[in-house]
């Protein structure tokens, strides 16, 4: 089993920056792909960025050039550096991790952290 704990959300003005962190913990697991999704009220959840265990990244076009995903495999932690934030970036951001454990393969999500960008 894997637990994901997020931090770094908050309120920021348009053009500002935030850095989200998500640490995975548990026992007998190995993280594969990690990533971030977001969901604004009344909207469908969308994938923001992913990063594989080998460091290959995929970033949504809507945030490309502004957001950077990275990870520290030794700490089982994924980061999302968000620069040049826009009001449309306002959403609950969820950490995601695909992991292998004694129970097999699982897809895990964090509790979400609110990011609010004011104009």
């Amino acid at each position: 089993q894997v637990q994901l704990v997020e931090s770094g959300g908050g309120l920021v003005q348009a053009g500002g920056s935030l850095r989200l962190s998500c640490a995975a913990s548990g026992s007998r697991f190995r993280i594969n792909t990690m990533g971030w999704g977001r969901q604004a009220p009344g909207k469908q959840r969308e994938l923001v960025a992913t990063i594989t265990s080998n460091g290959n990244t995929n970033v949504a076009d809507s945030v490309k050039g502004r957001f950077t995903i990275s990870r520290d495999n030794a700490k089982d932690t994924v980061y999302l550096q968000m620069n040049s934030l826009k009001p449309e970036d306002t959403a609950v951001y969820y950490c995601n991790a695909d992991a292998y454990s004694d129970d097999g393969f699982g897809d895990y999500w964090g509790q979400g952290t609110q990011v609010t960008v004011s104009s």
Side-chain angles (χ1 to χ4, degrees):
Q1 306 101 279
V2 178
Q3 297 80 45
L4 303 176
V5 180
E6 302 161 330
S7 62
L11 174 65
V12 65
Q13 292 184 349
S17 299
L18 285 173
R19 189 192 192 213
L20 305 182
S21 299
C22 173
S25 63
S27 62
R28 296 180 176 272
F29 73 92
R30 177 169 293 171
I31 300 292
N32 187 17
T33 300
M34 302 187 78
W36 295 90
R38 68 183 182 184
Q39 187 169 17
K43 296 184 178 180
Q44 184 66 252
R45 183 184 66 188
E46 64 175 328
L47 184 66
V48 176
T50 60
I51 182 168
T52 69
S53 59
N54 300 124
N56 294 321
T57 62
N58 184 33
V59 181
D61 289 340
S62 60
V63 303
K64 203 167 190 176
R66 301 186 297 117
F67 291 12
T68 302
I69 188 170
S70 61
R71 68 188 288 173
D72 185 339
N73 288 338
K75 297 182 180 295
D76 288 325
T77 299
V78 63
Y79 307 93
L80 186 67
Q81 179 66 48
M82 305 184 293
N83 298 325
S84 301
L85 283 162
K86 304 175 181 180
E88 51 263 44
D89 294 320
T90 295
V92 177
Y93 284 71
Y94 296 92
C95 177
N96 170 253
D98 298 332
Y100 296 91
S101 70
D102 289 345
D103 297 325
F105 179 81
D107 186 33
Y108 300 87
W109 292 89
Q111 78 286 351
T113 184
Q114 178 70 48
V115 172
T116 302
V117 184
S118 62
S119 59

